[in-house]
Amino acid sequence: MKLRTTVLTFSLIALTGFAQKKKTTTQTPKEKFVNELLAKMTLDEKIGQLNLPGSDDFVTGQAKNTNVAQKIRDGKVGGLFNIKSLQKIKDVQKIAVENSRLKIPLLFGMDVIHGYETTFPIPLAMSCSWDMNLIERSARIAAIEASADGICWTFSPMVDICRDPRWGRIAEGVGEDPYLGSLISKAMVKGYQGKDLTADNTIMACVKHFALYGAPEAGRDYNTVDMSRIRMYNDYFPPYKAAVDAGVGSVMASFNEIDGVPATGNRWLMTDVLRKQWKFNGFVVTDYTGINEMTDHGMGDLQECSKLALKAGIDMDMVGEGFLTTLKKSLAEGKITTADIDAAAKRILEAKYDLGLFQDPYKYLNETRQKTEIYTTAHRAEARNLAAQSIVLLKNDNQILPLKKSGTIALIGPLANNAENMAGTWSVATVQKNSIPVLKGFEDAVGTQAKIMYAKGSNLDDDPVFEDNATMFSKSLNRDNRTKKELLDEAISVAKQSDVIVLALGESAEMSGECSSRTNLEIPQAQKDLLKEMLQLGKPVVLLLFNGRPMVITEENAKVPAILDVWFGGSEAGHAIADVVFGAVNPSGKLSTTFPRSVGQIPIFYAHKNTGRPLHNTEGKFEKFRSNYLDERNEPLYPFGYGLSYTTFTYGKATLSAPKMNAKGKITVSVPVSNTGNYDGKEVVQLYIRDVVGSVTRPVRELKGFQKIELKKGETQTVTFEITENDLKFYNNALEFKAEPGKFEVFVGTNSDTQNKVEFELIR
């Protein structure tokens, strides 16, 4: 018996040793490196990795004398953000890897939102291109340029679904639709991170703002968000999940609350959903002072809020230093554990390993790349192309556009000759003076073939205080101190000498963006007055609408014969606008957001639910005891997916390959599309599906596919879409992602309002 016990004991010891040995030998090189480094770190150094302070304004050669530099030497900083220039970053990185105890390199992040020095259109505009290859390429170029200037981490893409254009940050997002938003999210992550994150021209992406940030009450930034979990999962979560599925390296928490708990301290969101359900294994950073702001939400003092954030699954604290100043105390008091801190620190170290910073902390500091790969002619050409592809033709009565390069053209408006506003909001690395304004673009386009006459015509707004608030961050419109009458008289004089009038009106760059919520979405009255005067002259008028959101232009749509939504096109905005105006590029952009007729319709979006009392007519007639308004139609001014072309496209009848489909099968939808106009052109053919009967109410239609095709004039192409069960799935009341058998309607056409319909049945 004793012998058997001894043998059993030795066997258990051997098996245990084998298991331990196996566990050790199966560690990846990254796991081994990070675990060994973590074991060497003091508590203060671990907490230091969780700290992301602002960079201050370092002066080259003097970085070592700053307060932040001392914290870096002490191992109390994990990264810095929005520090620009290779030399400054090199100075700071040198402190971390040569003057700190463990020589752990820093992360350097920046808001590289829609390009670096070569600036692409604002993200909302890019989404209107419906071209994932171009969008991915914009992120790839942004990564090339940012990494050539020392940046290894971007706070992009922002993929917050927004259906309320009063919210200014809609400009930075992907529009209103989760399907389109998910494709853009994936493309941006792929563009930034490339195929190899250790390459010196790729950077780590950070999807934001997790979650639901684009749905604040009243459209007011940072405000409360409250919605059902069904809506979260079906309408707002998909683009974030798409980024996670694409391998995004980091996630940023949003400012708003979810189910009564701020996202920054919401364990259900950050751990249950993000890590457990979606299997995200990167790190989570707060937004700017997000932990500190939980105090105003009513979650406790800084120590309590820091504890909540760490326990929720937050790994890095941006600016607030709540982790740096309170976690040690919370650990001593038993409110958190060493394991909590270790888990967060480990994720930061893993990100640095993934970026190759431990192998070469200076890998992004190549002076040759800095001199040759930033703001290049080739990059600017690609920015110009994407800007042109993002422009949406809203109206073109009597084929006023494209304009001929002849005669005299009046270019009038406060946004006609202003380089500083062309790049749009969140263009922190842009050299604003280098951007091409409309006047320069027009002059370059026509050369000596036509005469361009310019007048400002009006200020952005009659109120100078409002104009100051709307032109921040070095984006002045250089307010003209002449009287309103003097400005108008000059514009009238110029217009009378012209054959056609082109007006550059709308918002300034910073009238949209963060903390730029608006209750009035119309063009400012000063510009409306200018437009009225121009229309009275009886000449052809073209409106170039500058905007970072859907605007209320019901009056302009009724009176102006031609309208181009040019958004904010980036570095090459003026050239891109000229390309479209003069016909070098046939516009093909399609709206990724609905344009309301009135602010009173907001929130308005195409994928709405039906009511039990829907309006029976489509002419906007009022019906008592139906879901409608006394003073406005239900329909938007321009629906989601809308956009005209200089040519015309005619759709044939959609057909199905079969009337029924089982769960493992597929159905093909086909539609012939013909270019029946006088120009070659591109068309975005869109597929929408409606689940007619469900266990929960379903939207009237949902985008499930699209193809951007190019047709020569007179050409016809049959476009086909394949529908599988996965296209029919949704989250039910139990938050199960399932397709339910029954009848489905399929719509194929040029925008979300198409009536080209076929039907099929899903069977079990």
Side-chain angles (χ1 to χ4, degrees), residues 486-551:
E486 288 173 327
L487 288 167
L488 273 173
D489 286 346
E490 180 187 47
I492 291 169
S493 175
V494 166
K496 283 181 175 179
Q497 300 174 60
S498 70
D499 301 304
V500 62
I501 303 166
V502 180
L503 290 161
L505 309 178
E507 294 187 316
S508 60
E510 296 304 328
M511 279 176 72
S512 55
E514 185 168 0
C515 198
S516 291
S517 299
R518 296 183 64 195
T519 59
N520 179 357
L521 300 185
E522 297 184 13
I523 294 171
Q525 190 61 47
Q527 299 177 63
K528 279 179 168 285
D529 294 342
L530 169 62
L531 175 59
K532 180 180 178 181
E533 293 288 340
M534 296 298 100
L535 288 169
Q536 288 177 349
L537 297 177
K539 299 195 176 188
V541 173
V542 176
L543 170 60
L544 305 179
L545 181 67
F546 285 86
N547 53 320
R549 51 158 58 87
M551 295 185 71

Side-chain angles (χ1 to χ4, degrees), residues 545-598:
L545 181 67
F546 285 86
N547 53 320
R549 51 158 58 87
M551 295 185 71
V552 176
I553 56 168
T554 309
E555 181 181 358
E556 289 75 17
N557 182 67
K559 297 178 179 179
V560 181
I563 305 174
L564 276 172
D565 195 327
V566 299
W567 310 102
F568 293 99
S571 299
E572 293 292 312
H575 285 146
I577 292 167
D579 287 341
V580 173
V581 168
F582 294 105
V585 174
N586 188 347
S588 60
K590 298 281 189 176
L591 296 178
S592 60
T593 48
T594 302
F595 271 51
R597 294 176 181 272
S598 164

Side-chain angles (χ1 to χ4, degrees), residues 124-130 386-396 401 542-547 553 562-568 576-577 580 586-593 595 638-646 684 708 750:
L124 183 62
M126 283 197 282
S127 71
C128 293
S129 73
W130 293 54
L386 181 50
Q389 300 300 322
S390 300
I391 290 172
V392 182
L393 179 61
L394 299 176
K395 188 178 180 184
N396 194 24
L401 291 170
V542 176
L543 170 60
L544 305 179
L545 181 67
F546 285 86
N547 53 320
I553 56 168
I563 305 174
L564 276 172
D565 195 327
V566 299
W567 310 102
F568 293 99
I577 292 167
V580 173
N586 188 347
S588 60
K590 298 281 189 176
L591 296 178
S592 60
T593 48
F595 271 51
Y638 307 120
F640 173 86
Y642 175 87
L644 304 177
S645 168
Y646 293 155
V684 180
K708 192 166 189 176
T750 188

